[in-house]
Amino acid sequence: AATGGQSITHPVNKHKPWIETSYHGVITENMDTVLLDPPLVALDKDAPVPYAGEICAFKIYGQDVPFEAVVLNRTSGEGVLRASGSVDCEIQKEYTFIIQAYDCGAGPSGADWKKSHKAVVHIQVDDVNEFSPVFREPLYKASVIEGKIYDSILQVEAWDQDCSPQYSQICNYEIVTAGTPFAIDRNGNIRNTERLSYDKQQSYKIMVTAFDCGQKRAKEDVAVHIDVKPICKPGWQGWNKRVDYEPGTGSKQLFPKMHLETCGGPLSGVRAMVELQTNHIGKGCDRETYSEKSLQKLCGAASGSTDLLPAPSPSTNWTASLLTDSGRDSDLIYRFDGRQAANVPDHVVPQNLTDQFTVATWMKHGPSPGLRAEKETLLCNSDKTEMNRHHYSLYVHNCRLVFLLRRDFTQVDTFRPAEFHWKLEQICDKEWHYYVINVEFPAVTLFVDGVTYEPYLVTDDWPIHTSKIDTQLTVGACWQGGEVATPRFTQYFHGSLSGLTIRPGRIETQKVISCLQACKEGLDINSLESLAKDIKFHFNPAQSVLVVEGEDVDSINTAITKVSYINSRQFPTPGLRRLHITTTVQCFGEDTCLSIPDIKAVVMVLPPSEPRITITGSNRLVRPAIDLQGPLGVAPFKELHITSTVMKGDSFSGCEWRAALGFHRPGVMEVMHNLDYCDILVIGEELNPERESLEIHHNALLGKHLDATNSTSGISIYGVDSMAHYEQALRQVRYKNWRPATLSDRRFRLTCSELNGRYTSNEFNLEVSFVLHHSAPVEHVNHMAAQSQYMRPVHHPLMIHTFNSHMSGTAPPAATVVIVVCIAALVVIVVIGVYRIHTTHQEGSREDEDEVKDPEDWDNSALTITVNPMEVTQENREEEEDEEDEEQVGGMTSAESDNSDEDEEEEEEREEVKKRKQRGKLEWDSSSITY
């Protein structure tokens, strides 16, 4: 109660709100609710007084704090803490700030409010596993040495952007690729589970993934490349097992990138031997495969040698029964297996073996078969009947080469050297070697591959007494004609032979022997001047073995890169050539310290562009029989042409290049090369020497590397020479028949060869027909008309001949009518001839001039043309006076038919042309008119 009218007032808001001094909260990232411990509650002692005892707000103090506090119940003072913005653990893991509570003040206006003390709030942001592991490198690479087990080859590493240890740590790695010899641990270390081999697999590619501790897998796997390195093995590296060689490209490097790996060892010297193995090619090398006679002529050997193993042909048929070694690039090789032998015909056997002669052959021979080695005869000259004396022979016995030479009995009956023995490894090494025996009695020298060997043993014997017993020359065995019931071969040869020849009267020179066995392929070294000074090298004579020596590995490497293969043949034998390299290395103070494995490689000689040899010309020649009876006969192959072309691929299609080499159409190129023989074979009945002949004059071969042989079956022209020379020679082959009435025609077949038949031409067939002449005028006219289809223009000037005046004066009237008819026909022929002259290629060669007095299509046997004496110049009068004294034979003077000198013919023709130009008148050659 109030007394004395005076009131008393009390403060309404006496106390401050109260909160805890610190709070700890947790919020999950990307969420807005914070879990506080303890809960957010403010108390006020003024309660339950309105306003003063109520809590109106919580205030937060801190910079960039993404939280707010909200009062849930003013009376109880409960509140909540919420995120006011984005909360990201990866940006900030924890927050610390100040919070205060405010009461509602003294009244509704909120005046006189009070605030609590400051409390510290510490909030931790909980992580969410939102990121996948990522590898730090896009690709991992490592290398291992073969044969070794590694604890760790390399370590891969992944990371995670999550903020918590649980989700940011990588708990596991895994190899995704199946079946690999590798494993990985939880730290990313990769190891091999087995020993790796470089030869088996040189590299591996494996895929690896990673997991974080929340088992979240990496989005992208990572590739790991592991290379397997070979154990450092001393040896040659950087070489190819096959080297292709294109014919005609000269020298080609075999090992341009090869080098010797020595694994760091200190060396004092290296010796490398490069061997080109060509024993499977022909006669042990890519040699020219021309016939033996052609090769001898090519090498400048003296003529007169006899080839005892020629190619089988109608004229050399004694080798037809022998076995030839096929597939040898036309290299004529005969293989003897102990059952083959051949008798050389008597007319072939050289008869004049004197104190000087040469026996040569290629031989490939191995150890003799059987327990008891028998004599194996290459060549034997023995008695044909009655006795069994060996006059001379060449045989192999127990890997010894023996030459037997029994001289005939002379005035002095004394012991003489008779058997010459050589003991050489080459005789039984199953390789090809070239053997030449030079006899200068009593000295005998053997050349093997150009190297001389004296006999190690010479045995004397008595000379052979002369007798009338014929001898038999045999190849591949010895003929036993006497002392046995049935004559037979004995002492058969086992092996291969080629080019077995005898040259009587001369011994062969070292130069020719070297040429005959020369090899066209071999090893070579390019740019010798660039080799180091300490490099030493040498070749064997055939250049199939090269030895390189040096003290420095780098110098040796440089030298080996310059080793080349070369083949100088225009058409080499295609196929493999084996290469073998053996290497020895010396170290300081030791003989050998490193073992270098041998190298085996091959050179592949590609097939050359093969030539196509084509013979063209007229296939039929019709001639009056009288022409065949003349001393010159006829030239059947007068218009012959020989060409050779090769097909070329697109790589040779450049226009300028093609034009420079004479291309006539795309892809075809004319190629110039040599021929080695042309054979003219008589088809049908052989030539009868009593009435006909086919021959070539010796003058036609002068200045050429050609020889010729002929028989009743044909002519063979041989020798290594150009196609042009062969063409010239063939055009001068003459056929004569002095009894043509016995034969109506003759057929010939011509073929030509390069490299002893490796490339052969087409078979060119030619038929020569003879036309016999009769005296009936009607038949003459019909004959001339029938002959017109074979007429062709004459390309050389014709000479005028007049006959004796008494012949023209005594011509009967009927003959005069025929002459007029013939002259009319000749006018028509001249018109045709002039037209053909303009449309025909003019031939100016000397061969054309050879036939001035041998026209091909005209017969002068019966037609006489009277020339006005007033139109004949003084020179013609002198010519007539000379001719009146000559005997007339068939309408043609003997002087015309007998004169065959080519130079005189040419001189006469030139003078006659001058005379015609002076007269300016058309004159006829009576020798070329058919009547």
Side-chain angles (χ1 to χ4, degrees):
T3 60
Q6 194 176 24
S7 63
I8 302 173
T9 61
H10 299 281
V12 176
N13 192 6
K14 291 181 178 181
H15 302 92
K16 298 177 183 178
W18 177 87
I19 58 175
E20 296 287 345
T21 57
S22 65
Y23 293 91
H24 290 275
V26 175
I27 183 172
T28 302
E29 62 179 342
N30 301 324
M31 305 291 286
D32 60 358
T33 302
V34 179
L35 298 178
L36 279 179
D37 181 28
L40 183 58
V41 177
L43 302 176
D44 197 317
K45 290 184 177 181
D46 291 325
V49 178
Y51 304 113
E54 296 177 336
I55 303 300
C56 273
F58 293 101
K59 288 192 177 182
I60 294 175
Y61 301 94
Q63 187 176 5
D64 298 328
V65 176
F67 296 99
E68 62 179 3
V70 180
V71 177
L72 297 178
N73 189 320
R74 294 170 65 172
T75 303
S76 63
E78 294 178 63
V80 65
L81 197 61
R82 292 185 300 201
S84 62
S86 175
V87 178
D88 192 340
C89 178
E90 284 72 42
I91 297 176
Q92 190 166 341
K93 296 180 180 180
E94 296 178 347
Y95 293 91
T96 301
F97 50 87
I98 303 298
I99 191 171
Q100 281 183 306
Y102 289 79
D103 61 15
C104 293
S109 63
D112 196 21
W113 51 264
K114 293 185 183 294
K115 54 185 177 182
S116 69
H117 61 269
K118 294 178 179 179
V120 177
V121 181
H122 183 81
I123 296 178
Q124 179 180 341
V125 182
D126 277 356
D127 190 18
V128 174
N129 196 3
E130 57 186 329
F131 292 100
S132 301
V134 176
F135 287 95
R136 295 193 180 276
E137 301 291 339
L139 176 67
Y140 290 89
K141 291 183 178 181
S143 61
V144 297
I145 297 177
E146 63 176 345
K148 183 178 178 181
I149 296 292
Y150 288 79
D151 294 332
S152 176
I153 297 172
L154 79 160
Q155 184 180 22
V156 298
E157 185 180 3
W159 66 286
D160 197 310
Q161 295 184 41
D162 289 314
C163 64
S164 64
Q166 180 182 5
Y167 298 139
S168 65
Q169 288 184 1
I170 307 300
C171 280
N172 195 23
Y173 291 92
E174 194 174 289
I175 294 176
V176 179
T177 307
T180 60
F182 300 98
I184 191 169
D185 63 17
R186 61 186 304 163
N187 294 320
N189 292 303
I190 297 177
R191 58 185 175 85
N192 55 321
T193 57
E194 62 184 54
R195 300 181 189 278
L196 305 179
S197 170
Y198 176 80
D199 295 332
K200 181 179 178 182
Q201 190 167 342
Q202 288 85 40
S203 64
Y204 294 86
K205 178 183 177 181
I206 60 176
M207 302 303 293
V208 176
T209 191
F211 296 89
D212 62 20
C213 292
Q215 290 304 301
K216 196 173 187 73
R217 177 175 171 165
K219 285 185 178 180
E220 293 184 4
D221 301 336
V222 71
V224 179
H225 290 178
I226 299 176
D227 292 329
V228 180
K229 300 292 185 183
I231 296 175
C232 185
K233 298 176 181 176
W236 293 102
Q237 296 182 2
W239 54 279
N240 294 323
K241 291 186 178 180
R242 168 174 163 162
V243 179
D244 287 344
Y245 180 81
E246 186 173 344
T249 55
S251 181
K252 179 168 184 177
Q253 286 176 273
L254 294 172
F255 312 107
K257 296 181 180 178
M258 189 166 79
H259 62 277
L260 183 62
E261 176 61 63
T262 59
C263 296
L267 308 177
S268 62
V270 180
R271 180 181 187 271
M273 183 173 71
V274 185
E275 183 180 4
L276 180 69
Q277 299 174 336
T278 57
N279 54 350
H280 63 293
I281 301 295
K283 295 192 287 284
C285 168
D286 209 9
R287 294 180 167 88
E288 296 289 12
T289 56
Y290 295 116
S291 67
E292 196 64 27
K293 279 196 172 183
S294 296
L295 271 177
Q296 288 177 351
K297 197 166 185 66
L298 196 65
C299 288
S303 59
S305 69
T306 301
D307 188 357
L308 301 181
L309 284 176
S313 70
S315 59
T316 57
N317 57 5
W318 71 89
T319 59
S321 62
L322 300 179
L323 295 176
T324 55
D325 207 348
S326 59
R328 297 289 186 179
D329 182 32
S330 301
D331 211 350
L332 191 59
I333 293 171
Y334 290 94
R335 183 164 52 86
F336 297 85
D337 60 3
R339 293 190 294 270
Q340 285 83 31
N343 283 325
V344 180
D346 291 341
H347 71 274
V348 177
V349 177
Q351 300 297 327
N352 53 344
L353 291 187
T354 58
D355 287 347
Q356 282 193 345
F357 63 95
T358 297
V359 180
T361 186
W362 285 93
M363 181 176 74
K364 179 181 180 181
H365 183 265
S368 303
L371 297 176
R372 283 189 60 201
E374 300 289 340
K375 292 181 179 179
E376 299 179 52
T377 303
L378 287 76
L379 177 70
C380 181
N381 182 267
S382 59
D383 290 333
K384 187 176 290 188
T385 57
E386 298 183 27
M387 303 179 73
N388 190 33
R389 298 175 302 174
H390 293 189
H391 295 255
Y392 62 87
S393 67
L394 179 64
Y395 62 90
V396 174
H397 190 212
N398 289 322
C399 292
R400 292 167 173 81
L401 187 68
V402 182
F403 180 65
L404 169 70
L405 181 61
R406 300 283 303 279
R407 305 299 303 223
D408 287 338
F409 178 81
T410 57
Q411 290 81 0
V412 182
D413 190 3
T414 59
F415 259 25
R416 292 192 177 187
E419 276 190 349
F420 304 84
H421 299 247
W422 293 270
K423 184 178 181 181
L424 303 171
E425 292 181 0
Q426 294 94 316
I427 295 169
C428 284
D429 65 359
K430 298 182 180 180
E431 304 286 348
W432 280 104
H433 300 285
Y434 187 53
Y435 298 84
V436 178
I437 295 177
N438 271 349
V439 178
E440 288 183 287
F441 195 79
V444 177
T445 304
L446 171 68
F447 292 80
V448 181
D449 298 330
V451 180
T452 58
Y453 296 91
E454 297 297 328
Y456 83 96
L457 176 65
V458 177
T459 305
D460 293 340
D461 203 347
W462 294 103
I464 292 179
H465 286 267
T466 55
S467 67
K468 296 183 179 180
I469 302 173
D470 292 334
T471 59
Q472 176 66 60
L473 184 62
T474 57
V475 176
C478 209
W479 181 254
Q480 188 171 4
E483 302 177 358
V484 288
T486 304
R488 58 185 175 86
F489 286 114
T490 185
Q491 299 176 3
Y492 283 98
F493 179 69
H494 297 78
S496 297
L497 297 176
S498 179
L500 177 58
T501 61
I502 295 181
R503 173 178 287 105
R506 294 283 296 273
I507 63 170
E508 207 57 274
T509 64
Q510 177 90 41
K511 181 179 179 181
V512 171
I513 293 173
S514 298
C515 175
L516 288 172
Q517 59 104 32
C519 189
K520 290 290 184 177
E521 67 178 345
L523 299 172
D524 191 17
I525 286 190
N526 291 340
S527 53
L528 294 174
E529 64 278 358
S530 64
L531 295 180
K533 293 182 179 179
D534 66 319
I535 289 294
K536 299 177 183 178
F537 67 91
H538 61 271
F539 292 93
N540 68 335
Q543 284 198 209
S544 61
V545 178
L546 166 64
V547 177
V548 181
E549 295 181 90
E551 300 175 359
D552 181 59
V553 175
D554 291 338
S555 299
I556 286 287
N557 288 339
T558 302
I560 288 294
T561 60
K562 298 181 183 301
V563 176
S564 303
Y565 169 82
I566 188 168
N567 194 321
S568 58
R569 288 189 67 186
Q570 186 175 11
F571 306 110
T573 305
L576 293 177
R577 314 289 198 273
R578 293 179 178 85
L579 288 166
H580 190 203
I581 300 181
T582 54
T583 312
T584 55
V585 175
Q586 290 184 334
C587 296
F588 293 99
E590 300 180 36
D591 292 335
T592 57
C593 55
L594 292 177
S595 177
I596 307 296
D598 290 356
I599 279 183
K600 292 184 178 180
V602 295
V603 177
M604 174 60 79
V605 178
L606 302 177
S609 298
E610 299 194 353
R612 182 184 180 92
I613 306 169
T614 306
I615 304 174
T616 56
S618 175
N619 291 103
R620 190 176 183 197
L621 180 66
V622 179
R623 298 298 302 271
I626 195 169
D627 290 352
L628 276 72
Q629 295 175 308
L632 291 178
V634 298
F637 303 99
K638 178 78 171 160
E639 298 179 353
L640 184 83
H641 291 283
I642 305 175
T643 57
S644 178
T645 56
V646 296
M647 297 297 295
K648 285 293 183 180
D650 295 336
S651 59
F652 297 89
S653 59
C655 294
E656 295 179 2
W657 190 88
R658 287 151 51 84
L661 290 178
F663 273 96
H664 301 298
R665 58 184 184 274
V668 178
M669 183 182 74
E670 187 166 343
V671 57
M672 301 304 295
H673 58 89
N674 292 327
L675 300 178
D676 58 349
Y677 68 79
C678 286
D679 287 340
I680 302 173
L681 186 64
V682 178
I683 305 299
E685 183 182 342
E686 290 193 358
L687 297 175
N688 187 339
E690 296 181 359
R691 64 170 183 258
E692 57 185 338
S693 68
L694 184 69
E695 58 190 26
I696 182 170
H697 197 273
H698 177 69
N699 291 337
L701 304 178
L702 291 178
K704 304 177 178 69
H705 299 291
L706 297 177
D707 276 326
T709 59
N710 63 346
S711 66
T712 57
S713 58
I715 283 184
S716 180
I717 302 174
Y718 62 91
V720 181
D721 211 335
S722 66
M723 290 184 290
H725 279 178
Y726 267 94
E727 194 175 90
Q728 293 170 14
L730 288 167
R731 288 179 176 181
Q732 298 185 63
V733 170
R734 300 282 174 164
Y735 172 69
K736 290 188 284 188
N737 190 323
W738 44 95
R739 296 180 189 172
T742 60
L743 207 62
S744 61
D745 57 26
R746 262 292 177 200
R747 288 186 297 129
F748 303 100
R749 177 174 297 156
L750 170 64
T751 55
C752 292
S753 151
E754 162 69 324
L755 296 175
N756 203 24
R758 176 176 172 185
Y759 304 117
T760 55
S761 69
N762 58 310
E763 291 185 348
F764 178 76
N765 294 298
L766 173 67
E767 182 176 344
V768 179
S769 298
F770 328 135
V771 180
L772 300 174
H773 298 277
H774 305 283
S775 58
V778 175
E779 292 182 8
H780 288 310
V781 174
N782 291 341
H783 168 63
M784 186 177 70
Q787 278 288 328
S788 64
Q789 60 178 314
Y790 303 115
M791 292 178 180
R792 66 178 184 86
V794 180
H795 303 307
H796 45 74
L798 302 175
M799 297 183 65
I800 184 167
H801 295 279
T802 57
F803 295 89
N804 294 340
S805 59
H806 73 273
M807 290 185 64
S808 60
T810 59
T816 305
V817 174
V818 173
I819 290 172
V820 173
V821 174
C822 290
I823 292 175
L826 284 171
V827 171
V828 177
I829 293 170
V830 168
V831 173
I832 297 174
V834 170
Y835 172 75
R836 291 187 64 185
I837 286 174
H838 284 287
T839 58
T840 305
H841 176 67
Q842 294 293 324
E843 297 179 7
S845 64
R846 181 174 177 178
E847 289 81 3
D848 291 332
E849 297 173 355
D850 293 343
E851 297 241 2
V852 170
K853 297 182 180 179
D854 184 27
E856 297 186 2
D857 302 309
W858 300 88
D859 180 20
N860 62 348
S861 60
L863 178 60
T864 303
I865 295 179
T866 304
V867 179
N868 189 342
M870 297 300 293
E871 294 181 7
V872 180
T873 62
Q874 181 63 34
E875 291 86 341
N876 267 2
R877 292 194 186 97
E878 295 173 359
E879 185 178 339
E880 289 176 0
E881 292 171 0
D882 294 338
E883 290 177 352
E884 286 176 358
D885 297 330
E886 295 170 350
E887 181 184 356
Q888 301 257 344
V889 181
M892 182 171 67
T893 66
S894 60
E896 287 177 64
S897 58
D898 292 339
N899 181 13
S900 61
D901 187 270
E902 296 174 0
D903 296 332
E904 291 183 12
E905 289 179 9
E906 292 178 356
E907 186 63 32
E908 289 175 1
E909 287 175 13
R910 285 193 290 270
E911 292 182 3
E912 188 62 31
V913 170
K914 294 178 182 178
K915 295 176 185 177
R916 295 184 184 187
K917 289 181 180 178
Q918 293 171 357
R919 289 194 296 268
K921 297 181 181 295
L922 180 64
E923 298 176 330
W924 296 93
D925 182 3
S926 62
S927 66
S928 61
I929 298 176
T930 304
Y931 172 55

